[in-house]
């Protein structure tokens, strides 16, 4: 289900999205192209050209080590291409890490994928969570978007559900 409106009840403008989906690793119950499109569009504030690549732990670890200097697989990585006029970038989702986190955190797997796609799209648009104030803004947006898609708030503890 796509989000009906923008922030604070304002109508969300119709945005142009060129989406490429790459399944570079296998898994059971992976998000469909239509789900990924809906999740990406729900977080977009600008026309965009986005590639979502679902990857193995090995590929995630390699990318994370090469581009962030961290030698481990991570749930989502976002790469932006600011030299291109249109908002453009890649989002790498690590299947094994996302699946493990969903199990360990007792989260609905589909909701966790949706949240991490939204998280990646917000990074693509310049949102960050390095500073506490920026993290608060980003988490508020993520929560608004994810709950607007019909999923539970992503930052609730399992005791609050």
């Amino acid at each position: 289900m796509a989000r009906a409106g923008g922030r604070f009840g304002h109508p969300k403008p119709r945005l142009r999205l060129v989406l490429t989906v790459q399944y570079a690793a296998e898994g059971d119950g992976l998000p469909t192209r239509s789900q990924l499109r809906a999740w990406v569009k729900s977080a977009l504030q600008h026309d965009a050209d986005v590639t979502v690549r679902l990857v193995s732990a090995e590929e995630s670890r390699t990318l994370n080590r090469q581009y962030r200097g961290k030698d481990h697989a991570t749930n989502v990585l976002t790469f932006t291409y600011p030299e291109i006029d249109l908002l453009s970038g890649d989002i790498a989702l690590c299947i094994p890490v996302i699946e493990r986190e969903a199990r360990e955190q007792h989260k609905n797997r589909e909701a966790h994928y949706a949240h991490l796609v939204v998280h990646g799209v917000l990074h693509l648009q310049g949102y960050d969570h390095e500073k506490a104030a920026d993290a608060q803004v980003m988490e508020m947006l993520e929560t608004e978007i994810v709950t607007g898609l019909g999923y539970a708030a992503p930052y609730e503890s399992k005791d609050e559900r």
Side-chain angles (χ1 to χ4, degrees), residues 36-53:
L36 292 166
R37 173 173 288 283
W39 299 338
V40 169
K41 286 184 92 167
S42 73
L44 273 182
Q45 299 167 351
H46 310 281
D47 291 344
D49 185 346
V50 178
T51 296
V52 174
R53 183 173 171 87

Side-chain angles (χ1 to χ4, degrees), residues 58-101:
E58 180 181 339
E59 184 173 344
S60 175
R61 181 179 182 177
T62 299
L63 291 168
N64 203 19
R65 183 177 49 239
Q66 182 174 353
Y67 293 102
R68 297 180 63 228
K70 300 187 181 204
D71 193 21
H72 61 85
T74 189
N75 54 17
V76 61
L77 291 165
T78 303
F79 301 93
T80 59
Y81 305 111
E83 67 279 359
I84 299 173
D85 289 336
L86 181 65
L87 177 65
S88 181
D90 297 337
I91 298 169
L93 299 169
C94 182
I95 296 166
V97 172
I98 293 170
E99 301 275 336
R100 178 178 42 85
E101 287 176 347

Side-chain angles (χ1 to χ4, degrees), residues 39-40 42-43 68 74-78 91-93 111-130 134-135 138-139 141-143 145-146 149 154-155:
W39 299 338
V40 169
S42 73
R68 297 180 63 228
T74 189
N75 54 17
V76 61
L77 291 165
T78 303
I91 298 169
L93 299 169
H112 196 42
Y113 272 107
H115 171 227
L116 293 172
V117 169
V118 167
H119 184 89
V121 172
L122 290 177
H123 272 309
L124 184 68
Q125 295 171 108
Y127 289 91
D128 203 340
H129 47 80
E130 295 301 314
D134 294 337
M138 190 168 174
E139 288 178 13
L141 278 171
E142 289 174 58
T143 298
I145 294 165
V146 170
L149 288 165
Y155 293 104

